[in-house]
Amino acid sequence: MEDHAPLTMKDIAREFGISVATVSRALKDSPRISAERRAAIQQYAREHNFTPNVIAESLRHSKVQPMKVIGVIIPNFVHYYFASVLSGIEEEASARGYRLMVATSQESYEREVRICQSFYENKVCGIIVSQAKDTQKYDHFQRLMDAGVPLVFYDRICTGVNASRVVVDDYMGAFNAVTHLIETGCTRIAFYGSAMTLEISKNRYNGYKDALLKHGLQPDPELMRFCDNRTDAEAITPEILQSPTPPNGFFAVNDDTAIGILYTAKRMGFRVPDDISICGFTNGYRAIACDPMLTTVEQRGKLVGEEAANILIGHVERTIPLDKAERRIVRTRLVIRGTTR
């Protein structure tokens, strides 16, 4: 893919004033083309990031229709939420005759770029993606859209491109959770969240902050940590609980982090929820596998996946225009269990 549109063999042929068949032979290293001409064409193709369309090439003389394959990019498989989103995508896609090609970015921008390129080369009909944590540039997404590949973002959306998206109501989920903590007696509530480069982090932080302000409490920077996994939560929670004015409530960006807080607090002799209340965000299986069971915001990942697949297939089948960016919000709900009073 080039900056705006992918380079084709027709473009190379036009550049050299030769036929597409000659370009094809040169790229396949055919001895029918002079070595000098072959080298020039191959170098030009390399310099302009030309990638052959693997599937289209094999179908060029076939009456078989291209496979209806959707590319799906997941940041990681560790979180129950992403697995449940994938389940929703697969169910909706399968019911409508589509198959999935799934890859995980492992939270890496470089890997995400390579996956997008691979999906493009394999001619997926569209891509559903939640961006990696360290993705700060979005050229790879824009190039796909410029090439006519439909994109739908879920959970972690890319605000730099005008693409369709499905998100949960992160702001209201956090607002309602922190309101519940305040209404059940918490006056100092810590916030454990992801980096503010992600929209979901900003939205959940804003929900947390606004709930405090609405109830006359001031956000305290001393109670805020960048922490979104259990390992880090277990490492940093002792320090915050040993401070002169420790929190009596915690709101965590996901269940894993909340469970790290829970076990650390219990190890240190705090009673949950008598001394400390804890609320997470996901409502995965782990939320009911801890003691006490976790109060958390349910994200309804399966529904997010179904909505994302529904929109993407709409773009592919042109029932939703490619240039119409759909925005759908899935409502959250607070599930109250044993870690809050």
Side-chain angles (χ1 to χ4, degrees), residues 143-170:
R143 286 197 296 269
L144 286 166
M145 294 181 66
D146 291 343
V149 179
L151 280 188
V152 177
F153 287 90
Y154 68 94
D155 191 51
R156 302 181 195 161
I157 61 173
C158 177
T159 55
V161 294
N162 187 33
S164 293
R165 60 193 60 172
V166 182
V167 295
V168 299
D169 195 344
D170 292 297

mmCIF file of all heavy atoms in Angstrom, residues 143-170:
data_model
loop_
_atom_site.group_PDB
_atom_site.id
_atom_site.type_symbol
_atom_site.label_atom_id
_atom_site.label_comp_id
_atom_site.label_asym_id
_atom_site.label_seq_id
_atom_site.Cartn_x
_atom_site.Cartn_y
_atom_site.Cartn_z
ATOM 1 N N ARG A 143 -4.463 4.139 5.137
ATOM 2 C CA ARG A 143 -4.146 3.543 3.845
ATOM 3 C C ARG A 143 -5.165 2.470 3.466
ATOM 4 O O ARG A 143 -5.566 2.361 2.310
ATOM 5 C CB ARG A 143 -2.731 2.943 3.865
ATOM 6 C CG ARG A 143 -1.627 3.995 3.820
ATOM 7 C CD ARG A 143 -0.297 3.372 3.427
ATOM 8 N NE ARG A 143 0.180 2.406 4.412
ATOM 9 C CZ ARG A 143 0.969 2.698 5.426
ATOM 10 N NH1 ARG A 143 1.376 3.943 5.623
ATOM 11 N NH2 ARG A 143 1.381 1.753 6.254
ATOM 12 N N LEU A 144 -5.570 1.677 4.466
ATOM 13 C CA LEU A 144 -6.587 0.653 4.198
ATOM 14 C C LEU A 144 -7.892 1.305 3.729
ATOM 15 O O LEU A 144 -8.509 0.863 2.755
ATOM 16 C CB LEU A 144 -6.848 -0.175 5.458
ATOM 17 C CG LEU A 144 -5.756 -1.175 5.849
ATOM 18 C CD1 LEU A 144 -5.974 -1.669 7.267
ATOM 19 C CD2 LEU A 144 -5.722 -2.350 4.880
ATOM 20 N N MET A 145 -8.301 2.356 4.423
ATOM 21 C CA MET A 145 -9.548 3.038 4.051
ATOM 22 C C MET A 145 -9.433 3.674 2.670
ATOM 23 O O MET A 145 -10.369 3.608 1.870
ATOM 24 C CB MET A 145 -9.912 4.080 5.107
ATOM 25 C CG MET A 145 -10.257 3.456 6.451
ATOM 26 S SD MET A 145 -10.697 4.688 7.680
ATOM 27 C CE MET A 145 -12.212 5.327 6.997
ATOM 28 N N ASP A 146 -8.266 4.266 2.385
ATOM 29 C CA ASP A 146 -8.059 4.868 1.069
ATOM 30 C C ASP A 146 -8.112 3.817 -0.039
ATOM 31 O O ASP A 146 -8.460 4.118 -1.181
ATOM 32 C CB ASP A 146 -6.714 5.605 1.012
ATOM 33 C CG ASP A 146 -6.700 6.859 1.875
ATOM 34 O OD1 ASP A 146 -7.796 7.328 2.252
ATOM 35 O OD2 ASP A 146 -5.604 7.362 2.188
ATOM 36 N N ALA A 147 -7.736 2.580 0.313
ATOM 37 C CA ALA A 147 -7.751 1.487 -0.662
ATOM 38 C C ALA A 147 -9.126 0.829 -0.755
ATOM 39 O O ALA A 147 -9.301 -0.158 -1.465
ATOM 40 C CB ALA A 147 -6.701 0.450 -0.288
ATOM 41 N N GLY A 148 -10.111 1.379 -0.015
ATOM 42 C CA GLY A 148 -11.482 0.858 -0.091
ATOM 43 C C GLY A 148 -11.767 -0.319 0.810
ATOM 44 O O GLY A 148 -12.766 -1.022 0.633
ATOM 45 N N VAL A 149 -10.883 -0.562 1.797
ATOM 46 C CA VAL A 149 -11.111 -1.663 2.741
ATOM 47 C C VAL A 149 -11.919 -1.129 3.923
ATOM 48 O O VAL A 149 -11.452 -0.245 4.640
ATOM 49 C CB VAL A 149 -9.772 -2.252 3.256
ATOM 50 C CG1 VAL A 149 -10.039 -3.384 4.249
ATOM 51 C CG2 VAL A 149 -8.917 -2.735 2.095
ATOM 52 N N PRO A 150 -13.130 -1.652 4.150
ATOM 53 C CA PRO A 150 -13.938 -1.157 5.283
ATOM 54 C C PRO A 150 -13.275 -1.487 6.622
ATOM 55 O O PRO A 150 -12.736 -2.579 6.801
ATOM 56 C CB PRO A 150 -15.263 -1.926 5.142
ATOM 57 C CG PRO A 150 -15.258 -2.490 3.766
ATOM 58 C CD PRO A 150 -13.832 -2.685 3.376
ATOM 59 N N LEU A 151 -13.319 -0.522 7.550
ATOM 60 C CA LEU A 151 -12.766 -0.707 8.891
ATOM 61 C C LEU A 151 -13.847 -0.440 9.920
ATOM 62 O O LEU A 151 -14.621 0.512 9.783
ATOM 63 C CB LEU A 151 -11.635 0.289 9.157
ATOM 64 C CG LEU A 151 -10.228 0.059 8.624
ATOM 65 C CD1 LEU A 151 -9.291 1.103 9.216
ATOM 66 C CD2 LEU A 151 -9.730 -1.325 8.937
ATOM 67 N N VAL A 152 -13.871 -1.254 10.970
ATOM 68 C CA VAL A 152 -14.734 -0.982 12.119
ATOM 69 C C VAL A 152 -13.880 -1.150 13.376
ATOM 70 O O VAL A 152 -13.248 -2.200 13.577
ATOM 71 C CB VAL A 152 -15.948 -1.935 12.185
ATOM 72 C CG1 VAL A 152 -16.770 -1.660 13.453
ATOM 73 C CG2 VAL A 152 -16.829 -1.788 10.949
ATOM 74 N N PHE A 153 -13.828 -0.115 14.207
ATOM 75 C CA PHE A 153 -13.093 -0.179 15.469
ATOM 76 C C PHE A 153 -14.035 -0.575 16.600
ATOM 77 O O PHE A 153 -15.221 -0.207 16.595
ATOM 78 C CB PHE A 153 -12.460 1.178 15.800
ATOM 79 C CG PHE A 153 -11.282 1.521 14.939
ATOM 80 C CD1 PHE A 153 -11.449 2.208 13.748
ATOM 81 C CD2 PHE A 153 -10.004 1.146 15.319
ATOM 82 C CE1 PHE A 153 -10.371 2.510 12.946
ATOM 83 C CE2 PHE A 153 -8.910 1.447 14.522
ATOM 84 C CZ PHE A 153 -9.093 2.134 13.335
ATOM 85 N N TYR A 154 -13.493 -1.308 17.574
ATOM 86 C CA TYR A 154 -14.265 -1.612 18.778
ATOM 87 C C TYR A 154 -13.381 -1.370 19.997
ATOM 88 O O TYR A 154 -12.164 -1.461 19.922
ATOM 89 C CB TYR A 154 -14.784 -3.058 18.765
ATOM 90 C CG TYR A 154 -13.695 -4.101 18.876
ATOM 91 C CD1 TYR A 154 -13.325 -4.634 20.116
ATOM 92 C CD2 TYR A 154 -13.021 -4.553 17.737
ATOM 93 C CE1 TYR A 154 -12.319 -5.578 20.218
ATOM 94 C CE2 TYR A 154 -12.012 -5.496 17.835
ATOM 95 C CZ TYR A 154 -11.668 -6.010 19.076
ATOM 96 O OH TYR A 154 -10.661 -6.938 19.172
ATOM 97 N N ASP A 155 -13.993 -1.027 21.088
ATOM 98 C CA ASP A 155 -13.332 -0.803 22.374
ATOM 99 C C ASP A 155 -12.307 0.318 22.297
ATOM 100 O O ASP A 155 -12.577 1.434 22.706
ATOM 101 C CB ASP A 155 -12.685 -2.097 22.878
ATOM 102 C CG ASP A 155 -12.215 -1.968 24.336
ATOM 103 O OD1 ASP A 155 -13.026 -1.539 25.168
ATOM 104 O OD2 ASP A 155 -11.054 -2.285 24.630
ATOM 105 N N ARG A 156 -11.101 0.048 21.767
ATOM 106 C CA ARG A 156 -10.090 1.097 21.630
ATOM 107 C C ARG A 156 -10.169 1.659 20.218
ATOM 108 O O ARG A 156 -9.685 1.034 19.272
ATOM 109 C CB ARG A 156 -8.703 0.542 21.895
ATOM 110 C CG ARG A 156 -8.562 -0.088 23.275
ATOM 111 C CD ARG A 156 -7.139 -0.568 23.401
ATOM 112 N NE ARG A 156 -6.971 -1.476 24.519
ATOM 113 C CZ ARG A 156 -5.946 -2.302 24.615
ATOM 114 N NH1 ARG A 156 -5.036 -2.331 23.662
ATOM 115 N NH2 ARG A 156 -5.824 -3.099 25.645
ATOM 116 N N ILE A 157 -10.793 2.796 20.100
ATOM 117 C CA ILE A 157 -11.022 3.366 18.777
ATOM 118 C C ILE A 157 -9.881 4.295 18.386
ATOM 119 O O ILE A 157 -9.182 4.823 19.243
ATOM 120 C CB ILE A 157 -12.366 4.135 18.729
ATOM 121 C CG1 ILE A 157 -12.357 5.285 19.738
ATOM 122 C CG2 ILE A 157 -13.524 3.191 18.993
ATOM 123 C CD1 ILE A 157 -13.540 6.199 19.666
ATOM 124 N N CYS A 158 -9.707 4.471 17.091
ATOM 125 C CA CYS A 158 -8.702 5.396 16.573
ATOM 126 C C CYS A 158 -9.422 6.675 16.151
ATOM 127 O O CYS A 158 -10.190 6.669 15.184
ATOM 128 C CB CYS A 158 -7.986 4.766 15.381
ATOM 129 S SG CYS A 158 -6.784 5.863 14.620
ATOM 130 N N THR A 159 -9.206 7.741 16.902
ATOM 131 C CA THR A 159 -9.914 8.992 16.600
ATOM 132 C C THR A 159 -9.297 9.720 15.405
ATOM 133 O O THR A 159 -9.858 10.684 14.908
ATOM 134 C CB THR A 159 -9.888 9.936 17.823
ATOM 135 O OG1 THR A 159 -8.525 10.146 18.223
ATOM 136 C CG2 THR A 159 -10.673 9.335 18.981
ATOM 137 N N GLY A 160 -8.146 9.245 14.935
ATOM 138 C CA GLY A 160 -7.466 9.913 13.825
ATOM 139 C C GLY A 160 -8.013 9.585 12.457
ATOM 140 O O GLY A 160 -7.622 10.192 11.468
ATOM 141 N N VAL A 161 -8.910 8.579 12.373
ATOM 142 C CA VAL A 161 -9.530 8.251 11.090
ATOM 143 C C VAL A 161 -11.045 8.246 11.258
ATOM 144 O O VAL A 161 -11.565 7.939 12.330
ATOM 145 C CB VAL A 161 -9.058 6.880 10.547
ATOM 146 C CG1 VAL A 161 -7.587 6.899 10.208
ATOM 147 C CG2 VAL A 161 -9.367 5.753 11.522
ATOM 148 N N ASN A 162 -11.731 8.581 10.201
ATOM 149 C CA ASN A 162 -13.195 8.667 10.254
ATOM 150 C C ASN A 162 -13.805 7.308 9.889
ATOM 151 O O ASN A 162 -14.326 7.117 8.788
ATOM 152 C CB ASN A 162 -13.688 9.759 9.303
ATOM 153 C CG ASN A 162 -15.188 10.000 9.460
ATOM 154 O OD1 ASN A 162 -15.723 9.859 10.564
ATOM 155 N ND2 ASN A 162 -15.855 10.327 8.367
ATOM 156 N N ALA A 163 -13.698 6.365 10.818
ATOM 157 C CA ALA A 163 -14.184 5.006 10.572
ATOM 158 C C ALA A 163 -15.319 4.657 11.521
ATOM 159 O O ALA A 163 -15.498 5.302 12.560
ATOM 160 C CB ALA A 163 -13.030 4.011 10.748
ATOM 161 N N SER A 164 -16.066 3.632 11.163
ATOM 162 C CA SER A 164 -17.148 3.166 12.031
ATOM 163 C C SER A 164 -16.577 2.615 13.329
ATOM 164 O O SER A 164 -15.435 2.148 13.373
ATOM 165 C CB SER A 164 -17.966 2.086 11.319
ATOM 166 O OG SER A 164 -18.663 2.636 10.231
ATOM 167 N N ARG A 165 -17.380 2.658 14.391
ATOM 168 C CA ARG A 165 -16.887 2.210 15.693
ATOM 169 C C ARG A 165 -18.024 1.706 16.580
ATOM 170 O O ARG A 165 -19.162 2.160 16.471
ATOM 171 C CB ARG A 165 -16.167 3.363 16.394
ATOM 172 C CG ARG A 165 -17.053 4.577 16.638
ATOM 173 C CD ARG A 165 -16.265 5.808 17.038
ATOM 174 N NE ARG A 165 -15.303 6.220 16.028
ATOM 175 C CZ ARG A 165 -14.607 7.346 16.095
ATOM 176 N NH1 ARG A 165 -14.759 8.156 17.117
ATOM 177 N NH2 ARG A 165 -13.755 7.664 15.151
ATOM 178 N N VAL A 166 -17.678 0.770 17.450
ATOM 179 C CA VAL A 166 -18.614 0.272 18.462
ATOM 180 C C VAL A 166 -17.885 0.333 19.800
ATOM 181 O O VAL A 166 -16.801 -0.239 19.946
ATOM 182 C CB VAL A 166 -19.049 -1.182 18.180
ATOM 183 C CG1 VAL A 166 -20.054 -1.645 19.241
ATOM 184 C CG2 VAL A 166 -19.656 -1.317 16.796
ATOM 185 N N VAL A 167 -18.452 1.040 20.751
ATOM 186 C CA VAL A 167 -17.832 1.155 22.072
ATOM 187 C C VAL A 167 -18.881 0.917 23.148
ATOM 188 O O VAL A 167 -20.083 1.039 22.893
ATOM 189 C CB VAL A 167 -17.201 2.553 22.288
ATOM 190 C CG1 VAL A 167 -16.046 2.774 21.333
ATOM 191 C CG2 VAL A 167 -18.236 3.660 22.135
ATOM 192 N N VAL A 168 -18.411 0.570 24.334
ATOM 193 C CA VAL A 168 -19.330 0.553 25.471
ATOM 194 C C VAL A 168 -19.343 1.961 26.052
ATOM 195 O O VAL A 168 -18.450 2.764 25.789
ATOM 196 C CB VAL A 168 -18.926 -0.480 26.541
ATOM 197 C CG1 VAL A 168 -18.933 -1.886 25.967
ATOM 198 C CG2 VAL A 168 -17.580 -0.168 27.149
ATOM 199 N N ASP A 169 -20.345 2.249 26.841
ATOM 200 C CA ASP A 169 -20.456 3.582 27.437
ATOM 201 C C ASP A 169 -19.512 3.668 28.632
ATOM 202 O O ASP A 169 -19.914 3.551 29.791
ATOM 203 C CB ASP A 169 -21.907 3.842 27.857
ATOM 204 C CG ASP A 169 -22.153 5.322 28.133
ATOM 205 O OD1 ASP A 169 -21.155 6.052 28.300
ATOM 206 O OD2 ASP A 169 -23.315 5.728 28.166
ATOM 207 N N ASP A 170 -18.218 3.838 28.308
ATOM 208 C CA ASP A 170 -17.178 3.841 29.344
ATOM 209 C C ASP A 170 -17.403 4.938 30.377
ATOM 210 O O ASP A 170 -17.202 4.728 31.572
ATOM 211 C CB ASP A 170 -15.807 4.034 28.698
ATOM 212 C CG ASP A 170 -15.393 2.842 27.858
ATOM 213 O OD1 ASP A 170 -15.229 1.767 28.427
ATOM 214 O OD2 ASP A 170 -15.254 2.998 26.632
#
